[in-house]
Amino acid sequence: MSRFNDFNNPQVAALPRHLKQFIVDQHYEHYTPVDHAVWRYVMRQNYAYLKDVAYYPYIPGLQKAGLTIEKIPNLQEMNDALAKIGWGAVTVDGFIPPAAFMEYQAYRVLVIAADIRQLKHIEYTPAPDIIHESAGHAPIIADKDYHDYLSYFGSIGAKAMFSAQDFELYEAIRALSILKEMPDADAAEIAEAEKLVEDRQQNMGEPSEMALLSRLHWWTVEYGLIGPLEDPKIYGAGLLSSIGESASCMKSDVAKITYTIDAVNYPYDITKPQPQLFVTPTFQNLIDVLEQFADTMSFRRGGSYGLQKAVDSKNTCTAVYSSGLQVSGTFTSFTEFQGQLAFVKTSGPSMLAIADKQLSGHGKDYHKDGFSSPVGRLKGFEKALEMATTEELSKLGIENGKNVSLTFESGVNVTGLITHLTYNQEKLALITFADCTVKDENGNILFDPSWGVYDMAIGERIVSVFCGAADKEAFEEIAYKSTTNTFHASYDASTLELHQLYQQVRNCRQTHSSLDYLGNVWQTLQQKHHTDWLCALEILEVLDHENAKPELASEIRDFLEQKAANEPELKKLIADGLYLIKHPVEQKLVV
């Protein structure tokens, strides 16, 4: 399968290049019989429990997302199903940067980690895996109010300012999640990785817009509850995919708080159960809270506030002039006059755009050394320059082929020969000068004629500032991508033998073939794989369903009950498995 296969899904096909870099092949053939058994166990438990506590569209949503209880989903099948509700899905390698994750949501594409949790982490894993992403996120996508919220959240999150500290924390969390999923991870290494995450969490400084948005995302999309405060239902993917926490979260010792903008003040720890959860009465309330937060963000506030956020981020950002001209680059400084913006400056490769499309000839190769321009009104002119008519511009001397001297209210003066005027529809957006000198109110040189052509942005105000380039494709913006790869196991002969035992039980259950060899499977488990419990549980399920070999079934049941008594960490897992043998789930989703 091609890495950039669009799965005949229009949402996936529409993804831009800078997002496609994160896509990896699912490699369905790499899933082992144990992996499928882990999926099946979690899905059976989820179905049995969540049908009573999940927000109502969850169960039919499994089918609408192309999921079954019996096997790990194939991405093509998911995309075929999701396309019917205007969504798609891609597989990625573990955690991806938050900004990229948000953009995928805006494009209505689910990001699904290709890996699946180990058996020893069957209840919960801090690492993203296919259970969390597909069994957690995909089913609720069928609800229109929810998927509109998710997509809208992504579109806002894609504009959020993030810091270098955000990416450092992301790298630390990614490294820890990978380490915890390694079969023989060293305890000292895990402790060191946990300390690094803790240290970075405690030394973030003032949280960035992305950090605060991530909290809202966590307390809604990942760990959200909906309904009355005293009797809420689960809709958060982190809860829907965790057979441990989906039950424990409903207990009284987990505080339930009405979801408001105050949720941004609650940090979270992905490695631990959450001490409190937030309950929204409706999905509309989620959008209302998101709108409240968005009103505080740079992309809506603009001005000096937004530019300071851009300077602090040290990342590629875009400032939007009131003419519609967009300036993208790394902003390094700006000046003010009487509390209003007067001059802005980027350094390094920069770009000019209108309506998120690069202006011809104004790419980062042309503006390779940065860009600078005044902001504001001309002195003595009663309206914003971008609102001036052709006649008014002519009276100011703003015409092609004319020398002109323009002085702004801030005192910045631009003098030179006009060679080109660029418009955004009827608004003047850019003036290009030859032989141009730019000085500030004190006569300091801001641009010298020897530096070449000068392009002056037009706009009374900076109306928006957001993270990233306006035209990401033209800017060839490569989002932060981790160099830490997830762990992919290689299996020894003993493990491969165990896989084969699981497959034999699976074949028996699916084909209703002879049960005679299940005794041999059980004997091999006892002799060589005595620590395993899930394969034994699956054998018992088949025997009980077929009402066959009662002596063998009794022996296996005794073994499982003894193991549950001796190994507390397995007690609930085995007890829940035994319960479902006696009270099997409906077969609607078994395909």
Side-chain angles (χ1 to χ4, degrees), residues 331-395:
F331 286 85
T332 51
S333 64
F334 61 90
T335 60
E336 294 181 315
F337 174 74
Q338 295 182 350
Q340 300 297 315
L341 275 173
F343 200 80
V344 300
K345 179 177 174 58
T346 69
S347 64
S350 302
M351 176 186 75
L352 304 183
I354 289 176
D356 298 333
K357 293 297 179 184
Q358 178 181 292
L359 291 178
S360 178
H362 288 282
K364 64 180 185 178
D365 292 334
Y366 180 71
H367 293 288
K368 63 183 185 300
D369 297 317
F371 179 84
S372 63
S373 182
V375 183
R377 289 189 177 190
L378 292 181
K379 185 178 291 186
F381 190 59
E382 73 276 5
K383 64 168 67 173
L385 195 54
E386 65 268 25
M387 304 304 295
T389 65
T390 303
E391 183 180 351
E392 288 169 331
L393 291 174
S394 181
K395 287 181 180 179

Side-chain angles (χ1 to χ4, degrees), residues 216-498:
L216 294 185
H217 194 272
W218 183 264
W219 298 124
T220 60
V221 176
E222 296 294 344
Y223 276 79
L225 302 176
I226 186 168
L229 193 63
E230 62 279 2
D231 185 29
K233 302 293 185 183
I234 297 172
Y235 73 90
L239 295 174
L240 292 174
S241 61
S242 171
I243 56 178
E245 210 164 356
S246 61
S248 63
C249 77
M250 290 303 190
K251 295 179 179 178
S252 58
D253 59 340
V254 178
K256 311 299 189 300
I257 305 171
T258 299
Y259 180 68
T260 67
I261 191 65
D262 190 49
V264 298
N265 299 318
Y266 288 77
Y268 58 90
D269 185 341
I270 71 161
T271 66
K272 299 174 183 176
Q274 306 309 313
Q276 74 281 312
L277 296 174
F278 292 86
V279 183
T280 183
T282 63
F283 285 135
Q284 182 58 48
N285 181 59
L286 300 184
I287 293 176
D288 294 344
V289 171
L290 183 58
E291 278 293 302
Q292 275 186 271
F293 183 78
D295 285 342
T296 71
M297 292 173 64
S298 300
F299 85 97
R300 287 194 178 169
R301 293 183 62 174
S304 298
Y305 175 87
L307 281 170
Q308 188 60 59
K309 293 288 186 183
V311 171
D312 292 344
S313 79
K314 299 181 175 60
N315 296 308
T316 298
C317 294
T318 296
V320 185
Y321 279 74
S322 47
S323 64
L325 184 74
Q326 298 165 310
V327 179
S328 298
T330 303
F331 286 85
T332 51
S333 64
F334 61 90
T335 60
E336 294 181 315
F337 174 74
Q338 295 182 350
Q340 300 297 315
L341 275 173
F343 200 80
V344 300
K345 179 177 174 58
T346 69
S347 64
S350 302
M351 176 186 75
L352 304 183
I354 289 176
D356 298 333
K357 293 297 179 184
Q358 178 181 292
L359 291 178
S360 178
H362 288 282
K364 64 180 185 178
D365 292 334
Y366 180 71
H367 293 288
K368 63 183 185 300
D369 297 317
F371 179 84
S372 63
S373 182
V375 183
R377 289 189 177 190
L378 292 181
K379 185 178 291 186
F381 190 59
E382 73 276 5
K383 64 168 67 173
L385 195 54
E386 65 268 25
M387 304 304 295
T389 65
T390 303
E391 183 180 351
E392 288 169 331
L393 291 174
S394 181
K395 287 181 180 179
L396 291 169
I398 299 175
E399 294 180 318
N400 278 326
K402 285 196 173 182
N403 282 294
V404 69
S405 180
L406 304 173
T407 301
F408 288 79
E409 290 179 342
S410 63
V412 173
N413 177 267
V414 180
T415 301
L417 174 67
I418 297 176
T419 61
H420 189 72
L421 302 176
T422 301
Y423 285 82
N424 173 22
Q425 298 179 348
E426 296 181 356
K427 289 183 178 181
L428 181 63
L430 187 70
I431 303 177
T432 301
F433 293 89
D435 193 26
C436 184
T437 301
V438 183
K439 297 180 180 179
D440 66 15
E441 71 276 16
N442 298 316
N444 298 312
I445 297 293
L446 300 175
F447 190 89
D448 187 273
S450 65
W451 299 350
V453 172
Y454 183 69
D455 295 289
M456 186 182 84
I458 302 298
E460 178 185 14
R461 296 173 293 116
I462 297 295
V463 296
S464 179
V465 184
F466 57 85
C467 206
D471 186 341
K472 290 182 172 64
E473 297 297 275
F475 201 76
E476 296 178 351
E477 183 175 53
I478 302 300
Y480 277 134
K481 187 176 181 183
S482 177
T483 56
T484 307
N485 294 319
T486 55
F487 174 80
H488 297 284
S490 55
Y491 304 109
D492 58 21
S494 175
T495 304
L496 291 173
E497 180 186 53
L498 181 61

Side-chain angles (χ1 to χ4, degrees), residues 18-311:
H18 70 279
L19 292 181
K20 286 183 176 178
Q21 67 166 322
F22 295 101
I23 299 173
V24 299
D25 294 334
Q26 184 182 21
H27 288 300
Y28 195 85
E29 71 280 3
H30 289 178
Y31 297 124
T32 71
V34 177
D35 293 334
H36 284 288
V38 166
W39 168 273
R40 184 174 182 272
Y41 178 93
V42 173
M43 292 301 291
R44 279 164 52 82
Q45 294 295 332
N46 276 355
Y47 184 77
Y49 177 67
L50 293 174
K51 61 183 173 61
D52 298 320
V53 298
Y55 178 63
Y56 76 91
Y58 178 76
I59 299 304
L62 288 171
Q63 293 168 306
K64 291 183 180 180
L67 303 179
T68 76
I69 284 178
E70 197 64 24
K71 64 183 178 68
I72 294 169
N74 179 288
L75 197 61
Q76 180 63 66
E77 295 170 358
M78 283 192 68
N79 270 295
D80 291 344
L82 290 171
K84 296 174 183 177
I85 55 174
W87 280 72
V90 297
T91 42
V92 299
D93 185 32
F95 279 116
I96 64 172
F101 184 86
M102 296 289 185
E103 267 202 275
Y104 273 107
Q105 283 186 191
Y107 276 93
R108 295 182 174 242
V109 174
L110 287 176
V111 174
I112 296 175
D115 295 332
I116 187 167
R117 66 194 64 179
Q118 297 176 66
L119 177 55
K120 68 179 181 180
H121 294 151
I122 194 168
E123 284 192 286
Y124 171 77
T125 174
D129 77 333
I130 196 163
I131 292 178
H132 170 78
E133 308 295 348
S134 55
H137 285 292
I140 200 73
I141 288 293
D143 183 84
K144 184 180 184 303
D145 290 340
Y146 176 77
H147 74 225
D148 285 346
Y149 168 70
L150 195 63
S151 176
Y152 187 50
F153 198 114
S155 66
I156 288 176
K159 295 180 182 296
M161 294 290 181
F162 66 92
S163 65
Q165 289 95 327
D166 288 329
F167 189 69
E168 289 171 356
L169 177 60
Y170 152 73
E171 282 279 28
I173 291 173
R174 177 180 165 88
L176 174 61
S177 69
I178 291 170
L179 195 58
K180 284 196 167 187
E181 273 301 307
M182 289 184 176
D184 299 310
D186 181 71
E189 281 189 71
I190 291 177
E192 185 178 343
E194 287 176 333
K195 185 176 185 306
L196 181 60
V197 170
E198 184 178 352
D199 288 346
R200 290 188 173 172
Q201 284 177 328
Q202 293 175 354
N203 292 281
M204 293 291 289
E206 182 182 352
S208 68
E209 290 178 350
M210 182 61 79
L212 294 175
L213 260 182
S214 293
R215 293 177 185 177
L216 294 185
H217 194 272
W218 183 264
W219 298 124
T220 60
V221 176
E222 296 294 344
Y223 276 79
L225 302 176
I226 186 168
L229 193 63
E230 62 279 2
D231 185 29
K233 302 293 185 183
I234 297 172
Y235 73 90
L239 295 174
L240 292 174
S241 61
S242 171
I243 56 178
E245 210 164 356
S246 61
S248 63
C249 77
M250 290 303 190
K251 295 179 179 178
S252 58
D253 59 340
V254 178
K256 311 299 189 300
I257 305 171
T258 299
Y259 180 68
T260 67
I261 191 65
D262 190 49
V264 298
N265 299 318
Y266 288 77
Y268 58 90
D269 185 341
I270 71 161
T271 66
K272 299 174 183 176
Q274 306 309 313
Q276 74 281 312
L277 296 174
F278 292 86
V279 183
T280 183
T282 63
F283 285 135
Q284 182 58 48
N285 181 59
L286 300 184
I287 293 176
D288 294 344
V289 171
L290 183 58
E291 278 293 302
Q292 275 186 271
F293 183 78
D295 285 342
T296 71
M297 292 173 64
S298 300
F299 85 97
R300 287 194 178 169
R301 293 183 62 174
S304 298
Y305 175 87
L307 281 170
Q308 188 60 59
K309 293 288 186 183
V311 171

